[in-house]
Amino acid sequence: MLYAYFYLIYNNKSKKITRVMMKMKRLTFKKGIHPKEFKQITENLEIKEVPVPPKIIIPIRQHIGAPLNPVVKKGDRVKTGQIIADSEAFVSAPVHSSCTGIVKNIGDYPTPLSPSDTCIEIETEEKEEFDFDLNSNIDYKSLSKQEILKLIRRAGIVGMGGAAFPAAVKFTPPKDIHIDTVILNGCECEPYLTSDYRTMLEFPEKILEGLKIIMRAVEAERGIIGIEDNKPDAIEKMSQLVDNESNINVQAVKTKYPQGAEKMLISALTGRKIPPGALPFSIGVVVSNVGTAAAIYDAVVKNIPLYKRVLTITGEVLENPANLLVRVGTPFSFLFDYIGGFLDEVTKLILGGPMMGIAQFTPDVGITKATSGILVMGKRRVGKEFNCINCAECVNHCPIFLVPTKIVRFAKSEIWDKAEDYGAMNCIECGSCSYMCPSNIPLVHWIRVAKSKITEIKKSSGK
Amino acid sequence: MENKFNLILESSPHFKTKRSTPQIMYVVILLLLPMCIAGVYFFGWAALIRILLSLVTALLTEFIFLKLRKKDISPVFDGSAAVTGILLALTLPPTLPLSDVVIGSVVAISIGKQLFGGLGYNIFNPALVGRAFLQAAFPVDMTTWVKPFYFNLDSITSATPLGGFKIDGVSTALNKLTLGNTGGCIGETSAILIIIAGIILILLKMADWKIPVSIIITVSVFAGILHLLDPVKYQDPLFYLFSGGLMLGAFFMATDMVSSPITPFGSIIFGVGIGIVVMVIRVFGGLPEGMMYSILFMNCFVPLLNRYTKPKIFGEV
């Protein structure tokens, strides 16, 4: 309570409540946490386009779903935007070359998601050629639902908020289900990251058009853009834009982590709750990241495949943190060279934000379509792990209403069926429990262990 | 550039609150200090000696047991043993023989905590285990009460407000009860100090508000009904709230994180249970005070409460 009070004082200093927001009711979900934001590091920096690096390493496994097969060979010359890996499977999205050049190698490299996975290395050429029509300007209203979905798939669009689920699949619900609401996620509740915020400020029209395309593709009646109230400029900007739209509105949500988690955002905006184990469309909703919506606009109207994305490169140890427009496959190390030096030793290199990001063991990995940020952390004190003292902080802050400490105790004792009884599989791995734990117990880590063990057991028992 | 990287691999999240378990323990100690000072004010050197003796014994016992168990001895300084030592002293009569204080403190840490596996694993509140042992082993010492004697050396035997009412039918003025100018344990006599410290503890989110609130409401309702039925035989609720160890128990003993429930609804049942049991003991039982036994009694139910009050998972119908 006291903490929340100080938090408000601290936050209001930097926050200007705009006219639009005064009229708006701010919605939210139950529980969750209030981590320090650190967004001021990069929030006022314009998106800068990064030049083409000398070599590009494109991981071919970038999405959730079926693995892709390379469709180019070593020595082939590829153009920017050319499909270089694809699959026949439904749950997949092709990967495109993000530059013009020669395929130097197809082999195993470290990727942000795995220590070793198939990547396509391309040596870039100075003169750029495009595999798509630069001047296309398609009126999506003349396209059918199927045509839009086809364009979205061909452009290799995946969820750009981090999960990387193929977008065309997401927009194809089972036949008997009607989607009535499309939600655009502009919360960006992860501390440090500002790429979605900058996208909303600099390309609001793209986002709005993208939303309309999605609404058309899934035949939804209304669209809601949910934005956390720590981004008043973005709320203002988007609100002005949707003023004339009768079925689209911008809704401020309270700044609280994990507000941007799909389940939390849907419940805040519509009051509907996704049952455990179900997907959003079971309650008639589709959620997309604002960045994804902008990419969908590019894909459908401009015919540009997803080969560039906006990301935030940030952290206290960076001399020049930035918001960058980067080609997929650009190695982290090239980005560091581009923006310039470090102020201190780097002890952690994180793909994504501090709450859910993945720590990297080398800077020589290429960014993926779902890389919303790179966080560089300097020296820090490593907290000692104490015994659990049943303080219930994890229980009090779990947005899914789990009892994390119990699951962890079962996981540590390898009692997997009990861990499952306590809902381990429903964990969204937001990290609120580990963040709050005074005993420094890596709760999420143990729950992940439990989840993979439970899945393994189910598989082997033939379920 | 290479040498700038010294990368650690770790599971997310990659940053967290600064709050730590020792920090919680030391804040609790800090908030127990006003009660210690009040105890010393009312009962002089006698109280000070007993608090320090209990504290040192608790730390030593923790150290010896960790050594015997061949464990890292750093938990001695995490503050949890110190909290147990101080809490135990605050619940002892100010004239209790020093040998009893040492025994109580040793039992609290050894049987109450270390035998279960140390910090976080004990079922019962360790300080109350120590006190229960003393109550059973030295019943006369544990029920010899004196009037507050400040720094005078001669003490006058007197009953506690609860004992006086139960045995002789003497009631105590409310202002005496709230300020603490009555007979009783070292740290439990000044209800007002305990409430202030307890509220700070709750505001700092280091104690669950649901537990003291549900205890206080339950006791008020229970006592209120009895008082309405027979105002002569039963005192008014305020008397029951401000006398004995109720406030200290409600704010500092029942809220002990380790031995209280972790689910929100479980905490409420836990508090209501304590309230009912303490009133049953006080009104219908053979003892004038029952806070200690009611907390220990409800401690037994914590695992059960945790299991049966598991919150409903998000979206579950």
Side-chain angles (χ1 to χ4, degrees), chain A residues 39 42 112 159-163 188-197 199 289 291 309-314 322-324 326 332 350-354 356-358 367-375:
Chain A
K39 291 195 191 271
T42 50
M160 286 159 76
E188 198 159 52
C189 57
E190 274 273 5
Y192 285 98
L193 303 187
T194 55
S195 56
D196 287 348
Y197 171 69
T199 310
N289 179 268
R309 68 153 298 146
V310 179
L311 63 80
T312 304
I313 179 160
T314 182
N323 294 303
L324 304 172
V326 186
F332 285 17
I350 297 154
L351 170 112
M356 291 185 73
I358 305 163
I367 72 140
T368 69
K369 296 175 194 174
T371 307
S372 48
I374 298 170
L375 174 60

Side-chain angles (χ1 to χ4, degrees), chain A residues 1-2 35-36 38 191 263-264 267 273-276 333 336-337 342 344-350 353-357 359-363 377 380 384 386-393 395 399-403 405-406 409 421-423 426 431 434-440 444-445 448, chain B residues 1-25 72 74-75 78 80 117-122 200 202-206 208-210 256-264 267 302-303 306-317:
Chain A
M1 225 145 65
L2 198 67
K36 212 177 156 197
F38 297 100
K263 288 186 177 194
M264 277 54 254
S267 111
K273 285 182 179 163
I274 306 177
S333 45
F336 292 133
D337 287 341
F342 300 100
D344 200 358
E345 190 187 53
V346 177
T347 60
K348 258 194 190 181
L349 188 58
I350 297 154
M355 294 303 293
M356 291 185 73
Q360 303 296 320
F361 67 92
T362 163
M377 286 177 133
R380 72 211 167 97
K384 181 175 171 283
F386 292 89
N387 291 347
C388 172
I389 54 162
N390 288 343
C391 67
E393 287 291 284
V395 186
I400 302 293
F401 291 72
L402 300 175
V403 186
T405 173
K406 276 269 184 186
R409 281 188 187 194
D421 282 352
Y422 272 81
N426 293 296
S434 306
Y435 177 84
M436 292 307 296
C437 182
S439 288
N440 293 320
V444 182
H445 169 76
R448 280 194 190 113
Chain B
M1 197 179 78
E2 263 344 287
N3 54 4
K4 276 288 187 184
F5 291 99
N6 181 14
L7 298 179
I8 304 171
L9 283 182
E10 218 173 28
S11 189
S12 69
H14 303 284
F15 83 153
K16 53 194 288 48
T17 49
K18 291 205 177 72
R19 179 172 293 193
S20 71
T21 297
Q23 188 195 348
I24 294 175
M25 297 299 172
D72 176 25
S74 65
D78 67 14
S80 62
L119 178 65
Y121 291 104
N122 46 297
I200 295 174
I202 287 169
L203 288 178
L204 291 171
K205 293 209 166 181
M206 291 184 182
D208 188 349
W209 62 271
K210 294 186 226 61
D256 168 37
M257 290 168 170
V258 177
S259 54
S260 64
I262 51 176
T263 60
S267 302
V302 167
N306 282 340
R307 187 174 310 166
Y308 287 106
T309 59
K310 197 168 74 178
K312 236 186 221 167
I313 295 170
F314 182 90
E316 206 174 45
V317 218

Side-chain angles (χ1 to χ4, degrees), chain A residues 84-95:
Chain A
I84 52 172
D86 205 347
S87 162
E88 293 287 308
F90 176 60
V91 186
S92 67
V95 168

Side-chain angles (χ1 to χ4, degrees), chain A residues 96-381:
Chain A
H96 301 75
S97 169
S98 57
C99 59
T100 307
I102 308 285
V103 177
K104 235 182 110 192
N105 190 19
I106 299 175
D108 285 351
Y109 292 85
T111 79
L113 306 174
S114 146
S116 172
D117 204 347
T118 313
C119 290
I120 297 174
E121 186 183 332
I122 301 169
E123 204 176 58
T124 59
E125 288 171 6
E126 253 177 51
K127 191 166 176 309
E128 194 158 23
E129 281 175 53
F130 296 92
D131 194 46
F132 50 89
D133 181 6
L134 279 177
N135 303 317
S136 76
N137 195 356
I138 300 162
D139 179 16
Y140 67 87
K141 287 185 185 118
S142 66
L143 299 174
S144 74
K145 186 180 155 179
Q146 292 309 323
E147 284 169 328
I148 293 178
L149 289 175
K150 230 171 131 188
L151 284 174
I152 291 176
R153 187 190 185 279
R154 208 191 63 192
I157 310 279
V158 297
M160 286 159 76
F165 190 75
V169 181
K170 199 188 232 180
F171 303 147
T172 319
K175 283 222 160 51
D176 52 330
I177 281 172
H178 172 63
I179 305 279
D180 58 14
T181 309
V182 175
I183 292 175
L184 278 200
N185 185 349
C187 294
E188 198 159 52
C189 57
E190 274 273 5
Y192 285 98
L193 303 187
T194 55
S195 56
D196 287 348
Y197 171 69
R198 288 313 304 183
T199 310
M200 285 189 280
L201 283 190
E202 296 181 35
F203 310 108
E205 296 86 4
K206 276 191 183 183
I207 293 171
L208 180 61
E209 291 304 305
L211 172 59
K212 287 188 200 161
I213 296 170
I214 301 172
M215 284 167 66
R216 192 175 164 82
V218 299
E219 294 168 331
E221 288 93 35
R222 63 167 176 163
I224 310 173
I225 304 172
I227 304 171
E228 273 193 351
D229 60 5
N230 61 352
K231 307 174 193 51
D233 309 1
I235 295 175
E236 182 94 42
K237 196 132 198 168
M238 295 303 304
S239 300
Q240 280 165 5
L241 213 61
V242 299
D243 248 2
N244 307 321
E245 311 286 340
S246 57
N247 55 350
I248 295 175
N249 63 315
V250 172
Q251 178 62 57
V253 287
K254 277 188 189 152
T255 304
K256 185 161 77 165
Y257 183 86
Q259 182 69 69
E262 204 166 58
K263 288 186 177 194
M264 277 54 254
L265 186 63
I266 296 175
S267 111
L269 293 178
T270 66
R272 298 180 206 170
K273 285 182 179 163
I274 306 177
L279 291 169
F281 59 64
S282 65
I283 52 166
V285 181
V286 155
V287 183
S288 232
N289 179 268
V290 286
T292 317
I296 285 172
Y297 168 82
D298 281 342
V300 174
V301 176
K302 298 285 176 200
N303 216 351
I304 308 172
L306 176 54
Y307 72 93
K308 279 182 195 176
R309 68 153 298 146
V310 179
L311 63 80
T312 304
I313 179 160
T314 182
E316 280 90 349
V317 291
L318 283 181
E319 230 170 90
N320 304 304
N323 294 303
L324 304 172
L325 182 63
V326 186
R327 284 160 197 262
V328 170
T330 306
F332 285 17
S333 45
F334 178 80
L335 294 177
F336 292 133
D337 287 341
Y338 174 70
I339 59 164
F342 300 100
L343 299 173
D344 200 358
E345 190 187 53
V346 177
T347 60
K348 258 194 190 181
L349 188 58
I350 297 154
L351 170 112
M355 294 303 293
M356 291 185 73
I358 305 163
Q360 303 296 320
F361 67 92
T362 163
D364 294 315
V365 290
I367 72 140
T368 69
K369 296 175 194 174
T371 307
S372 48
I374 298 170
L375 174 60
V376 186
M377 286 177 133
K379 283 199 193 98
R380 72 211 167 97
R381 203 165 40 92

Side-chain angles (χ1 to χ4, degrees), chain B:
Chain B
M1 197 179 78
E2 263 344 287
N3 54 4
K4 276 288 187 184
F5 291 99
N6 181 14
L7 298 179
I8 304 171
L9 283 182
E10 218 173 28
S11 189
S12 69
H14 303 284
F15 83 153
K16 53 194 288 48
T17 49
K18 291 205 177 72
R19 179 172 293 193
S20 71
T21 297
Q23 188 195 348
I24 294 175
M25 297 299 172
Y26 284 112
V27 170
V28 172
I29 293 174
L30 213 65
L31 289 170
L32 284 173
L33 278 183
M35 274 78 88
C36 297
I37 293 166
V40 174
Y41 171 75
F42 290 126
F43 302 109
W45 298 114
L48 186 65
I49 290 165
R50 277 157 189 84
I51 294 170
L52 291 178
L53 188 62
S54 173
L55 172 65
V56 171
T57 314
L59 291 175
L60 270 178
T61 313
E62 177 103 340
F63 174 77
I64 292 166
F65 264 78
L66 286 169
K67 274 274 175 216
L68 288 175
R69 291 174 60 211
K70 300 192 172 60
K71 298 268 179 188
D72 176 25
I73 53 125
S74 65
V76 174
F77 307 104
D78 67 14
S80 62
V83 169
T84 302
I86 296 174
L87 267 180
L88 174 70
L90 293 181
T91 61
L92 297 176
T95 50
L96 189 76
L98 295 177
S99 57
D100 294 4
V101 176
V102 173
I103 293 170
S105 193
V106 168
V107 170
I109 294 293
S110 59
I111 297 176
K113 185 176 168 195
Q114 287 294 337
L115 285 192
F116 285 98
L119 178 65
Y121 291 104
N122 46 297
I123 297 169
F124 300 103
N125 184 322
L128 291 179
V129 171
R131 190 179 195 276
F133 182 85
L134 291 177
Q135 182 96 47
F138 312 103
V140 178
D141 293 348
M142 286 295 286
T143 47
T144 304
W145 308 102
V146 290
K147 274 206 169 106
F149 49 83
Y150 308 97
F151 284 87
N152 304 333
L153 287 177
D154 37 311
S155 55
I156 307 156
T157 320
S158 116
T160 63
L162 276 171
F165 180 68
K166 184 146 196 162
I167 296 148
D168 311 317
V170 187
S171 75
T172 312
L174 200 59
N175 63 345
K176 269 192 166 181
L177 285 177
T178 46
L179 292 177
N181 191 10
T182 60
C185 299
I186 291 171
E188 69 176 26
T189 59
S190 173
I192 200 92
L193 270 182
I194 298 167
I195 292 172
I196 293 171
I199 287 173
I200 295 174
L201 193 69
I202 287 169
L203 288 178
L204 291 171
K205 293 209 166 181
M206 291 184 182
D208 188 349
W209 62 271
K210 294 186 226 61
I211 296 171
V213 167
S214 54
I215 292 176
I216 289 168
I217 291 176
T218 311
V219 168
S220 311
V221 170
F222 200 121
I225 293 170
L226 290 177
H227 186 62
L228 285 177
L229 290 174
D230 188 349
V232 184
K233 205 171 157 204
Y234 306 110
Q235 281 273 24
D236 62 299
L238 288 177
F239 173 78
Y240 287 110
L241 283 180
F242 290 125
S243 58
L246 198 131
M247 284 299 167
L248 188 66
F251 282 103
F252 285 91
M253 302 271 196
T255 56
D256 168 37
M257 290 168 170
V258 177
S259 54
S260 64
I262 51 176
T263 60
F265 190 55
S267 302
I268 294 172
I269 301 179
F270 181 72
V272 171
I274 291 174
I276 292 174
V277 176
V278 73
M279 285 308 290
V280 167
I281 295 175
R282 281 179 177 186
V283 177
F284 306 112
L287 296 165
E289 170 61 310
M291 202 55 197
M292 168 181 76
Y293 288 122
S294 68
I295 295 175
L296 288 173
F297 181 74
M298 286 312 289
N299 281 164
C300 311
F301 289 96
V302 167
L304 206 63
L305 286 175
N306 282 340
R307 187 174 310 166
Y308 287 106
T309 59
K310 197 168 74 178
K312 236 186 221 167
I313 295 170
F314 182 90
E316 206 174 45
V317 218

